[in-house]
Amino acid sequence: MSILKFFQRSSDLEEHSFESLIKNEQEKLYKIAYSYVKNEQDALDILQDTIIKGFKSFEKLKDMNYFSTWITRILINTAIDHLRKAKDVITLEPDWFDPRRNEENTTVMTMDLDIIFEKLKPQQKTLLLLRFYYGYSINEMAEILCIPEGTIKSQLHRTLQLLRAKLENGGETYGQTSTRD
């Protein structure tokens, strides 16, 4: 009977092993990282750094039910750190040489929403991504970001007002829309 219990415990531990938990989260984490840097290699670097940081402090996580929230927070902090460091780097690669880029992708990338999104502060991007792309509730966002719910609501509201103002009347690219009478 004790051998059976041992194997049962072993399978429970495997269920909550760092590797299995990360495998369940890796696609979501990659998408979040990519949304910050818009570069596959940088997103993978951020993801790798996140996994290393998470693994080193995994034993500090008290409740496995919060693993997703916990690792997402580590990823967001790592992505923001990466962006801060990247501000000091001047890239010498020409922007126009990207074999994956075609006319359709170029058109999509130059849409006003994308342009405006890139101009947002990292905190504003985080709020929009967590709320509208990943569907987190205000309460879950407050947990992930370690910020009170009221602050999340007010910052999200201000960010949406900013987006609305920038996108009114055709946005920055197209200017005022024509109104023919």
Side-chain angles (χ1 to χ4, degrees), residues 75-87:
L75 179 97
I76 290 169
N77 289 336
T78 304
I80 290 171
D81 288 345
H82 178 82
L83 290 174
R84 283 186 194 131
K85 291 176 186 172
K87 282 183 182 179

Side-chain angles (χ1 to χ4, degrees), residues 18-32:
F18 184 78
E19 182 181 1
S20 65
L21 292 169
I22 276 294
K23 282 183 180 180
N24 292 336
E25 298 291 322
Q26 69 185 9
E27 187 175 333
K28 178 185 79 168
L29 294 172
Y30 173 78
K31 287 177 182 178
I32 293 172

Side-chain angles (χ1 to χ4, degrees), residues 22-181:
I22 276 294
K23 282 183 180 180
N24 292 336
E25 298 291 322
Q26 69 185 9
E27 187 175 333
K28 178 185 79 168
L29 294 172
Y30 173 78
K31 287 177 182 178
I32 293 172
Y34 188 85
S35 67
Y36 275 92
V37 293
K38 302 287 188 234
N39 177 321
E40 181 180 0
Q41 292 303 314
D42 288 343
L44 290 172
D45 288 344
I46 290 169
L47 184 57
Q48 180 180 356
D49 290 346
T50 299
I51 291 171
I52 291 168
K53 289 176 184 177
F55 183 75
K56 286 181 178 178
S57 58
F58 183 61
E59 68 275 354
K60 295 177 187 173
L61 181 62
K62 294 174 183 158
D63 187 354
M64 292 300 158
N65 294 324
Y66 293 111
F67 179 80
S68 179
T69 303
W70 175 75
I71 199 72
T72 301
R73 183 70 219 153
I74 292 172
L75 179 97
I76 290 169
N77 289 336
T78 304
I80 290 171
D81 288 345
H82 178 82
L83 290 174
R84 283 186 194 131
K85 291 176 186 172
K87 282 183 182 179
D88 299 333
V89 176
I90 300 172
T91 57
L92 299 176
E93 297 176 31
D95 233 10
W96 54 269
F97 182 72
D98 186 358
R100 294 171 287 150
R101 186 180 252 182
N102 61 31
E103 189 172 304
E104 182 181 352
N105 288 341
T106 304
T107 303
V108 170
M109 289 188 331
T110 58
M111 292 176 61
D112 278 336
L113 187 56
D114 191 41
I115 293 168
I116 293 168
F117 186 78
E118 289 305 314
K119 291 180 182 178
L120 293 175
K121 296 175 187 172
Q123 180 70 18
Q124 293 170 319
K125 287 181 185 181
T126 300
L127 291 172
L128 292 174
L129 287 170
L130 291 176
R131 181 70 175 148
F132 299 108
Y133 190 76
Y134 297 104
Y136 283 110
S137 69
I138 299 293
N139 185 15
E140 291 169 327
M141 291 170 60
E143 261 182 46
I144 291 170
L145 300 174
C146 301
I147 298 174
E149 285 185 42
T151 305
I152 296 284
K153 289 177 184 178
S154 64
Q155 288 178 353
L156 186 59
H157 179 71
R158 278 191 294 258
T159 302
L160 290 173
Q161 282 182 323
L162 175 70
L163 283 175
R164 189 175 297 119
K166 297 251 185 210
L167 292 172
E168 281 179 346
N169 300 321
E172 293 178 355
T173 304
Y174 302 106
Q176 294 280 2
T177 57
S178 73
T179 54
R180 295 185 179 173
D181 294 335

